[in-house]
Amino acid sequence: SCNNSNDSVKVYSQCIGNSTELPEEECNAWQDFFLMTNGPQWKYCNDTLLTPCDCDTKFARVKCSDEKPSGKRITLIHAPYSSAGGSIPSTMENLKHLTYFEADCMGLNGTLPVNDVFIKGDCVLNDPLRESDCVSFGGRANSFSCPLPKGAAEHCYATCN
């Protein structure tokens, strides 16, 4: 059988601490993103596999809202620059309340999943203004597989090959 690089990892644990109240599908989507982008090798937030809501540094952040009636949800992901590589999992589609997503300079590839954040345009996947910063901060540019989801190139600076 073929192993698609965008398949989810599927080894889940319950989120803990400040992240306990996240819905299971959001906790699982975070775990997939963390593991498929080599989170344990990140310089910042490399210990947040089960505690995404605790990732809050100057260079990496996950914001979890606790608004009624939806409850606790992941609304923002700003992943750190990294040269660890990897891909964005298809389970990112489960982050329905994500309003901002930044995964610039991570050396990511593969198929970019569909997510409303790409259509609405509050995201950064390859910022041309920061291209020179990528290497100096230890990161690599992303290059996803074509075709890109609607809006990803126009709104998020995503590039594909």
Side-chain angles (χ1 to χ4, degrees):
S1 83
C2 293
N3 184 10
N4 183 332
S5 65
N6 222 17
D7 285 343
S8 58
V9 176
K10 296 189 180 38
V11 178
Y12 302 119
S13 296
Q14 182 175 348
C15 282
I16 59 174
N18 291 333
S19 305
T20 302
E21 295 178 25
L22 284 173
E24 182 179 6
E25 67 273 6
E26 291 204 14
C27 180
N28 295 349
W30 168 257
Q31 289 176 35
D32 283 342
F33 176 75
F34 184 86
L35 293 172
M36 291 182 70
T37 59
N38 299 298
Q41 295 177 34
W42 296 349
K43 188 172 183 178
Y44 305 96
C45 295
N46 59 6
D47 59 350
T48 59
L49 174 66
L50 302 179
T51 56
C53 301
D54 291 343
C55 175
D56 189 10
T57 73
K58 182 178 179 180
F59 300 105
R61 184 170 183 222
V62 174
K63 183 177 178 186
C64 298
S65 72
D66 199 3
E67 297 177 12
K68 305 294 183 230
S70 62
K72 188 164 257 191
R73 303 292 185 159
I74 294 174
T75 58
L76 176 148
I77 295 175
H78 176 190
Y81 284 15
S82 169
S83 60
S87 60
I88 298 177
S90 59
T91 52
M92 289 291 285
E93 297 172 7
N94 295 333
L95 298 177
K96 304 285 187 211
H97 297 266
L98 192 64
T99 57
Y100 182 81
F101 180 71
E102 184 169 336
D104 192 19
C105 297
M106 292 187 71
L108 302 177
N109 56 42
T111 302
L112 191 59
V114 174
N115 188 298
D116 283 347
V117 78
F118 303 138
I119 296 167
K120 294 174 185 165
D122 214 356
C123 51
V124 180
L125 295 170
N126 275 328
D127 187 341
L129 300 175
R130 291 191 241 166
E131 206 168 311
S132 61
D133 292 343
C134 256
V135 176
S136 59
F137 286 110
R140 282 189 296 142
N142 300 323
S143 184
F144 301 101
S145 301
C146 294
L148 294 169
K150 179 182 179 186
E154 300 88 340
H155 301 300
C156 308
Y157 308 105
T159 58
C160 65
N161 55 25

